């Protein structure tokens, strides 16, 4: 069983035609673990960056998968990269999980939010993430 529970794993970065080019990485082997995602959410593991690409919506029905995926990449003790260009919606609790996870990173490590939706940036400001190691990429 995957440490990600019901999250589908993809170990290969996808091309992003709408944003800056992704880092050119060697083609790692694709994980043999493929499980169905919760409806409305796909989380792709991006190696070797300790990153996640999020596609869809994070709400009460997908929150457990989101929490498990965040915990898994944060447990590596490295900077965490979240690619959020295809995130359609994230509720306040899902946003809080980002800040909570960032707070567990080792000293000097940060969580980078790439292409976050505007509402996510607004909610982060409202809940006071300024003292946490969260770097929000501005377009």
């Amino acid at each position: 069983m995957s440490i990600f529970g019901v999250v589908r794993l993809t170990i290969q970065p996808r091309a992003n035609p709408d944003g800056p080019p992704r880092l050119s990485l060697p083609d790692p082997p694709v994980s043999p673990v493929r499980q169905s995602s919760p409806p409305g959410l796909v989380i792709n593991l991006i190696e070797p960056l300790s990153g996640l690409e999020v596609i869809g919506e994070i709400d009460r029905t997908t929150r457990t998968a989101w929490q498990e995926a965040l915990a898994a990449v944060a447990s590596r003790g490295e900077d965490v990269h979240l690619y959020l260009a295809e995130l359609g919606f994230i509720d306040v609790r899902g946003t809080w999980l980002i800040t909570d996870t960032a707070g567990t990173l080792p000293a000097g490590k940060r969580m980078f939010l790439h292409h976050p939706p505007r509402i996510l940036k607004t909610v982060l400001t409202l809940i006071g993430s300024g003292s946490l190691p969260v770097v929000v990429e501005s377009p």
Side-chain angles (χ1 to χ4, degrees):
M1 173 129 186
S2 167
I3 58 172
F4 284 34
V6 294
V7 177
R8 181 185 72 155
L9 297 180
T10 303
I11 309 289
Q12 192 169 342
R14 294 179 2 139
N16 186 1
D18 299 321
R22 300 249 172 99
L23 294 175
S24 177
L25 302 173
D27 290 335
V30 175
S31 170
V33 178
R34 289 189 182 259
Q35 298 178 351
S36 62
S37 295
L41 179 66
V42 175
I43 301 173
N44 295 318
L45 178 64
I46 300 175
E47 290 287 352
L49 295 179
S50 290
L52 299 172
E53 177 183 46
V54 183
I55 303 165
E57 299 184 354
I58 297 170
D59 57 23
R60 66 178 179 78
T61 63
T62 58
R63 193 173 304 123
T64 299
W66 176 234
Q67 184 173 10
E68 290 173 1
L70 284 172
V73 294
S75 70
R76 296 176 177 195
E78 300 294 330
D79 287 336
V80 174
H81 295 266
L82 303 180
Y83 296 93
L84 306 170
E86 297 182 60
L87 177 64
F89 173 79
I90 184 168
D91 64 10
V92 174
R93 177 72 175 138
T95 303
W96 181 84
L97 287 170
I98 291 173
T99 61
D100 186 50
T101 303
T104 67
L105 295 174
K109 298 301 178 185
R110 300 180 291 178
M111 182 173 293
F112 294 89
L113 308 183
H114 302 278
H115 305 288
R118 185 181 332 187
I119 191 66
L120 176 58
K121 293 188 277 188
T122 301
V123 173
L124 284 170
T125 301
L126 291 172
I127 63 176
S129 65
S131 63
L132 295 170
V134 177
V135 177
V136 179
E137 181 182 75
S138 297

